[in-house]
PDB file of all heavy atoms in Angstrom:
ATOM      1  N   TYR A  25      -4.494  -8.848  -0.968  1.00  0.00           N
ATOM      2  CA  TYR A  25      -3.535  -9.489  -0.069  1.00  0.00           C
ATOM      3  C   TYR A  25      -3.713  -9.019   1.373  1.00  0.00           C
ATOM      4  O   TYR A  25      -3.449  -9.790   2.304  1.00  0.00           O
ATOM      5  CB  TYR A  25      -2.112  -9.248  -0.571  1.00  0.00           C
ATOM      6  CG  TYR A  25      -1.829 -10.048  -1.816  1.00  0.00           C
ATOM      7  CD1 TYR A  25      -2.036  -9.504  -3.091  1.00  0.00           C
ATOM      8  CD2 TYR A  25      -1.405 -11.367  -1.735  1.00  0.00           C
ATOM      9  CE1 TYR A  25      -1.817 -10.255  -4.229  1.00  0.00           C
ATOM     10  CE2 TYR A  25      -1.186 -12.126  -2.880  1.00  0.00           C
ATOM     11  CZ  TYR A  25      -1.388 -11.568  -4.114  1.00  0.00           C
ATOM     12  OH  TYR A  25      -1.193 -12.320  -5.248  1.00  0.00           O
ATOM     13  N   ALA A  26      -4.156  -7.803   1.576  1.00  0.00           N
ATOM     14  CA  ALA A  26      -4.437  -7.341   2.929  1.00  0.00           C
ATOM     15  C   ALA A  26      -5.599  -8.132   3.527  1.00  0.00           C
ATOM     16  O   ALA A  26      -5.560  -8.542   4.689  1.00  0.00           O
ATOM     17  CB  ALA A  26      -4.751  -5.853   2.928  1.00  0.00           C
ATOM     18  N   ALA A  27      -6.643  -8.358   2.734  1.00  0.00           N
ATOM     19  CA  ALA A  27      -7.789  -9.133   3.217  1.00  0.00           C
ATOM     20  C   ALA A  27      -7.407 -10.588   3.464  1.00  0.00           C
ATOM     21  O   ALA A  27      -7.827 -11.198   4.452  1.00  0.00           O
ATOM     22  CB  ALA A  27      -8.938  -9.055   2.201  1.00  0.00           C
ATOM     23  N   ARG A  28      -6.586 -11.134   2.598  1.00  0.00           N
ATOM     24  CA  ARG A  28      -6.201 -12.544   2.723  1.00  0.00           C
ATOM     25  C   ARG A  28      -5.391 -12.791   3.994  1.00  0.00           C
ATOM     26  O   ARG A  28      -5.495 -13.862   4.610  1.00  0.00           O
ATOM     27  CB  ARG A  28      -5.394 -12.958   1.489  1.00  0.00           C
ATOM     28  CG  ARG A  28      -5.028 -14.439   1.444  1.00  0.00           C
ATOM     29  CD  ARG A  28      -4.277 -14.757   0.170  1.00  0.00           C
ATOM     30  NE  ARG A  28      -5.089 -14.506  -1.020  1.00  0.00           N
ATOM     31  CZ  ARG A  28      -4.621 -14.587  -2.267  1.00  0.00           C
ATOM     32  NH1 ARG A  28      -3.335 -14.887  -2.471  1.00  0.00           N
ATOM     33  NH2 ARG A  28      -5.410 -14.354  -3.296  1.00  0.00           N
ATOM     34  N   HIS A  29      -4.601 -11.823   4.397  1.00  0.00           N
ATOM     35  CA  HIS A  29      -3.720 -12.001   5.557  1.00  0.00           C
ATOM     36  C   HIS A  29      -4.139 -11.152   6.753  1.00  0.00           C
ATOM     37  O   HIS A  29      -3.330 -10.926   7.662  1.00  0.00           O
ATOM     38  CB  HIS A  29      -2.277 -11.668   5.155  1.00  0.00           C
ATOM     39  CG  HIS A  29      -1.734 -12.578   4.094  1.00  0.00           C
ATOM     40  ND1 HIS A  29      -1.197 -13.821   4.367  1.00  0.00           N
ATOM     41  CD2 HIS A  29      -1.660 -12.428   2.737  1.00  0.00           C
ATOM     42  CE1 HIS A  29      -0.810 -14.399   3.238  1.00  0.00           C
ATOM     43  NE2 HIS A  29      -1.078 -13.579   2.229  1.00  0.00           N
ATOM     44  N   GLN A  30      -5.387 -10.653   6.753  1.00  0.00           N
ATOM     45  CA  GLN A  30      -5.913  -9.855   7.857  1.00  0.00           C
ATOM     46  C   GLN A  30      -4.952  -8.713   8.234  1.00  0.00           C
ATOM     47  O   GLN A  30      -4.648  -8.483   9.399  1.00  0.00           O
ATOM     48  CB  GLN A  30      -6.189 -10.709   9.096  1.00  0.00           C
ATOM     49  CG  GLN A  30      -7.311 -11.724   8.937  1.00  0.00           C
ATOM     50  CD  GLN A  30      -6.884 -12.980   8.189  1.00  0.00           C
ATOM     51  OE1 GLN A  30      -5.854 -13.562   8.509  1.00  0.00           O
ATOM     52  NE2 GLN A  30      -7.664 -13.384   7.202  1.00  0.00           N
ATOM     53  N   GLN A  31      -4.453  -8.023   7.223  1.00  0.00           N
ATOM     54  CA  GLN A  31      -3.532  -6.916   7.438  1.00  0.00           C
ATOM     55  C   GLN A  31      -4.288  -5.598   7.372  1.00  0.00           C
ATOM     56  O   GLN A  31      -5.169  -5.416   6.533  1.00  0.00           O
ATOM     57  CB  GLN A  31      -2.436  -6.923   6.363  1.00  0.00           C
ATOM     58  CG  GLN A  31      -1.507  -5.718   6.432  1.00  0.00           C
ATOM     59  CD  GLN A  31      -1.058  -5.246   5.055  1.00  0.00           C
ATOM     60  OE1 GLN A  31      -1.269  -5.909   4.063  1.00  0.00           O
ATOM     61  NE2 GLN A  31      -0.444  -4.089   5.009  1.00  0.00           N
ATOM     62  N   HIS A  32      -3.949  -4.683   8.282  1.00  0.00           N
ATOM     63  CA  HIS A  32      -4.519  -3.337   8.195  1.00  0.00           C
ATOM     64  C   HIS A  32      -3.863  -2.606   7.033  1.00  0.00           C
ATOM     65  O   HIS A  32      -2.638  -2.524   6.939  1.00  0.00           O
ATOM     66  CB  HIS A  32      -4.270  -2.563   9.496  1.00  0.00           C
ATOM     67  CG  HIS A  32      -4.625  -1.107   9.378  1.00  0.00           C
ATOM     68  ND1 HIS A  32      -5.932  -0.674   9.266  1.00  0.00           N
ATOM     69  CD2 HIS A  32      -3.836   0.011   9.316  1.00  0.00           C
ATOM     70  CE1 HIS A  32      -5.940   0.647   9.156  1.00  0.00           C
ATOM     71  NE2 HIS A  32      -4.689   1.085   9.192  1.00  0.00           N
ATOM     72  N   LEU A  33      -4.687  -2.073   6.147  1.00  0.00           N
ATOM     73  CA  LEU A  33      -4.178  -1.386   4.961  1.00  0.00           C
ATOM     74  C   LEU A  33      -4.554   0.085   5.022  1.00  0.00           C
ATOM     75  O   LEU A  33      -5.722   0.429   5.189  1.00  0.00           O
ATOM     76  CB  LEU A  33      -4.760  -2.016   3.694  1.00  0.00           C
ATOM     77  CG  LEU A  33      -4.232  -1.480   2.359  1.00  0.00           C
ATOM     78  CD1 LEU A  33      -2.777  -1.874   2.170  1.00  0.00           C
ATOM     79  CD2 LEU A  33      -5.070  -2.020   1.203  1.00  0.00           C
ATOM     80  N   ASP A  34      -3.566   0.942   4.902  1.00  0.00           N
ATOM     81  CA  ASP A  34      -3.778   2.385   4.852  1.00  0.00           C
ATOM     82  C   ASP A  34      -3.657   2.824   3.392  1.00  0.00           C
ATOM     83  O   ASP A  34      -2.545   3.000   2.887  1.00  0.00           O
ATOM     84  CB  ASP A  34      -2.759   3.097   5.734  1.00  0.00           C
ATOM     85  CG  ASP A  34      -3.011   4.600   5.832  1.00  0.00           C
ATOM     86  OD1 ASP A  34      -3.805   5.116   5.022  1.00  0.00           O
ATOM     87  OD2 ASP A  34      -2.419   5.250   6.707  1.00  0.00           O
ATOM     88  N   ALA A  35      -4.801   2.964   2.710  1.00  0.00           N
ATOM     89  CA  ALA A  35      -4.781   3.295   1.281  1.00  0.00           C
ATOM     90  C   ALA A  35      -4.107   4.630   1.022  1.00  0.00           C
ATOM     91  O   ALA A  35      -3.418   4.810   0.003  1.00  0.00           O
ATOM     92  CB  ALA A  35      -6.203   3.309   0.733  1.00  0.00           C
ATOM     93  N   ASN A  36      -4.264   5.587   1.935  1.00  0.00           N
ATOM     94  CA  ASN A  36      -3.631   6.892   1.751  1.00  0.00           C
ATOM     95  C   ASN A  36      -2.116   6.786   1.834  1.00  0.00           C
ATOM     96  O   ASN A  36      -1.386   7.450   1.088  1.00  0.00           O
ATOM     97  CB  ASN A  36      -4.158   7.875   2.799  1.00  0.00           C
ATOM     98  CG  ASN A  36      -5.603   8.249   2.555  1.00  0.00           C
ATOM     99  OD1 ASN A  36      -6.030   8.388   1.423  1.00  0.00           O
ATOM    100  ND2 ASN A  36      -6.369   8.394   3.623  1.00  0.00           N
ATOM    101  N   ALA A  37      -1.627   5.944   2.761  1.00  0.00           N
ATOM    102  CA  ALA A  37      -0.173   5.744   2.859  1.00  0.00           C
ATOM    103  C   ALA A  37       0.366   5.081   1.596  1.00  0.00           C
ATOM    104  O   ALA A  37       1.467   5.409   1.124  1.00  0.00           O
ATOM    105  CB  ALA A  37       0.163   4.904   4.089  1.00  0.00           C
ATOM    106  N   ASP A  38      -0.409   4.157   1.020  1.00  0.00           N
ATOM    107  CA  ASP A  38       0.024   3.518  -0.223  1.00  0.00           C
ATOM    108  C   ASP A  38       0.105   4.530  -1.359  1.00  0.00           C
ATOM    109  O   ASP A  38       1.002   4.439  -2.220  1.00  0.00           O
ATOM    110  CB  ASP A  38      -0.926   2.384  -0.595  1.00  0.00           C
ATOM    111  CG  ASP A  38      -0.602   1.103   0.152  1.00  0.00           C
ATOM    112  OD1 ASP A  38       0.421   1.079   0.863  1.00  0.00           O
ATOM    113  OD2 ASP A  38      -1.370   0.132   0.040  1.00  0.00           O
ATOM    114  N   LEU A  39      -0.827   5.489  -1.399  1.00  0.00           N
ATOM    115  CA  LEU A  39      -0.743   6.541  -2.419  1.00  0.00           C
ATOM    116  C   LEU A  39       0.530   7.356  -2.250  1.00  0.00           C
ATOM    117  O   LEU A  39       1.190   7.705  -3.235  1.00  0.00           O
ATOM    118  CB  LEU A  39      -1.966   7.451  -2.338  1.00  0.00           C
ATOM    119  CG  LEU A  39      -3.273   6.902  -2.908  1.00  0.00           C
ATOM    120  CD1 LEU A  39      -4.419   7.875  -2.667  1.00  0.00           C
ATOM    121  CD2 LEU A  39      -3.137   6.622  -4.405  1.00  0.00           C
ATOM    122  N   VAL A  40       0.900   7.643  -1.007  1.00  0.00           N
ATOM    123  CA  VAL A  40       2.155   8.360  -0.746  1.00  0.00           C
ATOM    124  C   VAL A  40       3.337   7.510  -1.193  1.00  0.00           C
ATOM    125  O   VAL A  40       4.297   8.006  -1.799  1.00  0.00           O
ATOM    126  CB  VAL A  40       2.272   8.740   0.737  1.00  0.00           C
ATOM    127  CG1 VAL A  40       3.634   9.360   1.020  1.00  0.00           C
ATOM    128  CG2 VAL A  40       1.170   9.711   1.132  1.00  0.00           C
ATOM    129  N   GLY A  41       3.281   6.199  -0.882  1.00  0.00           N
ATOM    130  CA  GLY A  41       4.367   5.314  -1.291  1.00  0.00           C
ATOM    131  C   GLY A  41       4.504   5.228  -2.796  1.00  0.00           C
ATOM    132  O   GLY A  41       5.622   5.252  -3.335  1.00  0.00           O
ATOM    133  N   LEU A  42       3.382   5.129  -3.511  1.00  0.00           N
ATOM    134  CA  LEU A  42       3.429   5.084  -4.977  1.00  0.00           C
ATOM    135  C   LEU A  42       3.916   6.404  -5.547  1.00  0.00           C
ATOM    136  O   LEU A  42       4.639   6.434  -6.557  1.00  0.00           O
ATOM    137  CB  LEU A  42       2.039   4.749  -5.518  1.00  0.00           C
ATOM    138  CG  LEU A  42       1.556   3.325  -5.243  1.00  0.00           C
ATOM    139  CD1 LEU A  42       0.053   3.209  -5.469  1.00  0.00           C
ATOM    140  CD2 LEU A  42       2.296   2.330  -6.134  1.00  0.00           C
ATOM    141  N   CYS A  43       3.525   7.508  -4.909  1.00  0.00           N
ATOM    142  CA  CYS A  43       4.006   8.824  -5.315  1.00  0.00           C
ATOM    143  C   CYS A  43       5.521   8.902  -5.162  1.00  0.00           C
ATOM    144  O   CYS A  43       6.229   9.324  -6.082  1.00  0.00           O
ATOM    145  CB  CYS A  43       3.318   9.908  -4.480  1.00  0.00           C
ATOM    146  SG  CYS A  43       4.100  11.526  -4.573  1.00  0.00           S
ATOM    147  N   ALA A  44       6.034   8.472  -4.002  1.00  0.00           N
ATOM    148  CA  ALA A  44       7.481   8.516  -3.760  1.00  0.00           C
ATOM    149  C   ALA A  44       8.226   7.607  -4.730  1.00  0.00           C
ATOM    150  O   ALA A  44       9.311   7.959  -5.237  1.00  0.00           O
ATOM    151  CB  ALA A  44       7.767   8.109  -2.317  1.00  0.00           C
ATOM    152  N   ALA A  45       7.657   6.413  -5.016  1.00  0.00           N
ATOM    153  CA  ALA A  45       8.312   5.477  -5.935  1.00  0.00           C
ATOM    154  C   ALA A  45       8.440   6.076  -7.327  1.00  0.00           C
ATOM    155  O   ALA A  45       9.493   5.969  -7.978  1.00  0.00           O
ATOM    156  CB  ALA A  45       7.519   4.170  -5.982  1.00  0.00           C
ATOM    157  N   ASN A  46       7.394   6.730  -7.809  1.00  0.00           N
ATOM    158  CA  ASN A  46       7.462   7.334  -9.141  1.00  0.00           C
ATOM    159  C   ASN A  46       8.336   8.581  -9.159  1.00  0.00           C
ATOM    160  O   ASN A  46       8.972   8.880 -10.174  1.00  0.00           O
ATOM    161  CB  ASN A  46       6.054   7.639  -9.644  1.00  0.00           C
ATOM    162  CG  ASN A  46       5.384   6.418 -10.245  1.00  0.00           C
ATOM    163  OD1 ASN A  46       5.654   6.042 -11.381  1.00  0.00           O
ATOM    164  ND2 ASN A  46       4.523   5.777  -9.468  1.00  0.00           N
ATOM    165  N   ALA A  47       8.365   9.313  -8.050  1.00  0.00           N
ATOM    166  CA  ALA A  47       9.282  10.460  -7.972  1.00  0.00           C
ATOM    167  C   ALA A  47      10.728   9.980  -8.065  1.00  0.00           C
ATOM    168  O   ALA A  47      11.543  10.570  -8.786  1.00  0.00           O
ATOM    169  CB  ALA A  47       9.046  11.226  -6.669  1.00  0.00           C
ATOM    170  N   MET A  48      11.062   8.892  -7.359  1.00  0.00           N
ATOM    171  CA  MET A  48      12.414   8.338  -7.433  1.00  0.00           C
ATOM    172  C   MET A  48      12.709   7.810  -8.833  1.00  0.00           C
ATOM    173  O   MET A  48      13.835   7.925  -9.328  1.00  0.00           O
ATOM    174  CB  MET A  48      12.568   7.220  -6.401  1.00  0.00           C
ATOM    175  CG  MET A  48      12.597   7.684  -4.958  1.00  0.00           C
ATOM    176  SD  MET A  48      13.977   8.811  -4.579  1.00  0.00           S
ATOM    177  CE  MET A  48      13.142  10.387  -4.637  1.00  0.00           C
ATOM    178  N   ALA A  49      11.693   7.223  -9.486  1.00  0.00           N
ATOM    179  CA  ALA A  49      11.884   6.754 -10.859  1.00  0.00           C
ATOM    180  C   ALA A  49      12.233   7.925 -11.776  1.00  0.00           C
ATOM    181  O   ALA A  49      13.169   7.846 -12.585  1.00  0.00           O
ATOM    182  CB  ALA A  49      10.627   6.042 -11.352  1.00  0.00           C
TER     183      ALA A  49
END
């Protein structure tokens, strides 16, 4: 989806976001 919409994607930030989401879970 980042490629489809020419969005800058920070893979490291997404790992932090997934980490935080599972911590909250």
Side-chain angles (χ1 to χ4, degrees):
Y25 288 92
R28 185 178 298 174
H29 297 277
Q30 293 79 49
Q31 174 216 349
H32 170 70
L33 185 68
D34 186 346
N36 290 323
D38 278 354
L39 284 176
V40 174
L42 291 164
C43 165
N46 278 281
M48 290 299 100

